[in-house]
Amino acid sequence: MAIIPDIAYWLSPLTYFFLALIVIWLLVSTGQRCRSIRLAGLAGELNLQLFSRDPLGLPQRYEQMYLFRQGHARRARNVMIGHHQGRQLRLFDYLYETGLGQDRRTQQFSVVIIQVSRNLPGLLVQLRAPGRRQYNLSGMDQIKLPGITDQQGYTVFCESAGFAQDYISEEMLQNLRQCEQTSLEVQDGVLALYAPGKLKAGKYRQLRGLANELAEYLTGDNPQTGRT
């Protein structure tokens, strides 16, 4: 019975370190596999193909968009690919790192990207983080929408002030906030929704529905009716 304590006594701190790394790796791998299994049901329901690893290089493919320029060690997982109502559709978990060493933090988002017209101007409707100073890193002008954005806690940047004033409504911002405090971006023919954290399958389905509604709304000819 004294053998186990003797072995534990002779193990070096470095050995304990590597054993801890192995345990952490096993826990992370198991968690990722379980999430892939849970999302496989959603992918089947939406007629999408699921890849546990990113087959498209999504952070590089969409590097012109705001979220994919943040931090470092950017990667996508559980990538679901297909079409919805004739539009190319992609859903995926997105992660990136901020800081280094002990200050290193992993930021996680659930992302839905859907194809829209390339004629749409660049647009970023970004949820303001409480207690953080807002910097304009979008390369677009900030559009002031008195009362609407302040009340809902969003900041709007757009290449066309007229487009933002016509299409950004209080109802749209309420829908974004109620759907997991989501941010919206439109660039180069794609519309993206960014929800913080890892959404469950039901919430991912809701986010996909909102993306489709917004794609229909923003490409419509009459912004005064059917506002989303």
Side-chain angles (χ1 to χ4, degrees):
M1 296 296 295
I3 295 178
I4 294 178
D6 288 343
I7 293 175
Y9 177 80
W10 288 106
L11 290 177
S12 69
L14 187 60
T15 302
Y16 284 114
F17 174 76
F18 282 113
L19 287 174
L21 288 181
I22 292 172
V23 170
I24 293 172
W25 177 82
L26 289 173
L27 291 174
V28 171
S29 298
T30 301
Q32 291 174 358
R33 179 169 297 184
C34 290
R35 178 157 177 81
S36 296
I37 292 172
R38 288 193 294 269
L39 291 180
L42 175 64
E45 175 188 332
L46 300 180
N47 197 29
L48 303 175
Q49 190 173 4
L50 173 68
F51 300 87
S52 59
R53 295 187 178 183
D54 178 10
L56 301 175
L58 293 172
Q60 293 74 37
R61 183 178 293 261
Y62 296 117
E63 63 182 359
Q64 79 279 12
M65 305 189 79
Y66 177 81
L67 181 65
F68 305 102
R69 299 200 304 268
Q70 307 303 305
H72 54 90
R74 309 174 186 102
R75 66 266 192 201
R77 293 173 178 162
N78 297 312
V79 179
M80 292 170 273
I81 300 172
H83 292 80
H84 179 67
Q85 297 183 354
R87 301 180 187 273
Q88 190 178 71
L89 179 67
R90 288 162 182 165
L91 289 71
F92 54 94
D93 297 334
Y94 180 67
L95 303 90
Y96 66 88
E97 309 292 334
T98 58
L100 297 171
Q102 293 182 347
D103 295 327
R104 188 182 181 102
R105 298 290 184 271
T106 300
Q107 310 296 328
Q108 303 184 57
F109 288 84
S110 299
V111 179
V112 174
I113 288 181
I114 191 169
Q115 187 178 24
V116 294
S117 170
R118 287 189 173 272
N119 293 327
L120 291 180
L123 172 68
L124 175 63
V125 182
Q126 184 183 16
L127 183 70
R128 290 197 294 268
R132 292 186 183 180
R133 187 174 180 180
Q134 192 90 18
Y135 295 97
N136 183 2
L137 303 178
S138 68
M140 297 180 284
D141 292 333
Q142 182 175 346
I143 309 301
K144 299 293 186 179
L145 301 173
I148 296 178
T149 50
D150 291 338
Q151 183 178 0
Q152 298 300 326
Y154 279 89
T155 304
V156 175
F157 306 95
C158 192
E159 293 177 339
S160 168
F163 180 84
Q165 291 164 356
D166 284 342
Y167 282 88
I168 304 301
S169 67
E170 184 174 1
E171 183 180 357
M172 174 196 283
L173 299 182
Q174 286 177 346
N175 288 342
L176 289 170
R177 175 173 279 281
Q178 291 171 4
C179 189
E180 305 303 310
Q181 299 187 344
T182 295
S183 294
L184 160 71
E185 184 171 10
V186 177
Q187 289 285 351
D188 297 335
V190 296
L191 181 152
L193 295 182
Y194 312 135
K198 289 185 176 181
L199 297 185
K200 294 182 179 179
K203 294 295 185 179
Y204 243 134
R205 188 186 304 109
Q206 181 182 359
L207 195 67
R208 190 287 306 263
L210 180 58
N212 186 64
E213 292 176 11
L214 288 169
E216 293 290 340
Y217 170 64
L218 292 175
T219 54
D221 294 330
N222 188 355
Q224 301 304 320
T225 62
R227 284 183 180 265
T228 298

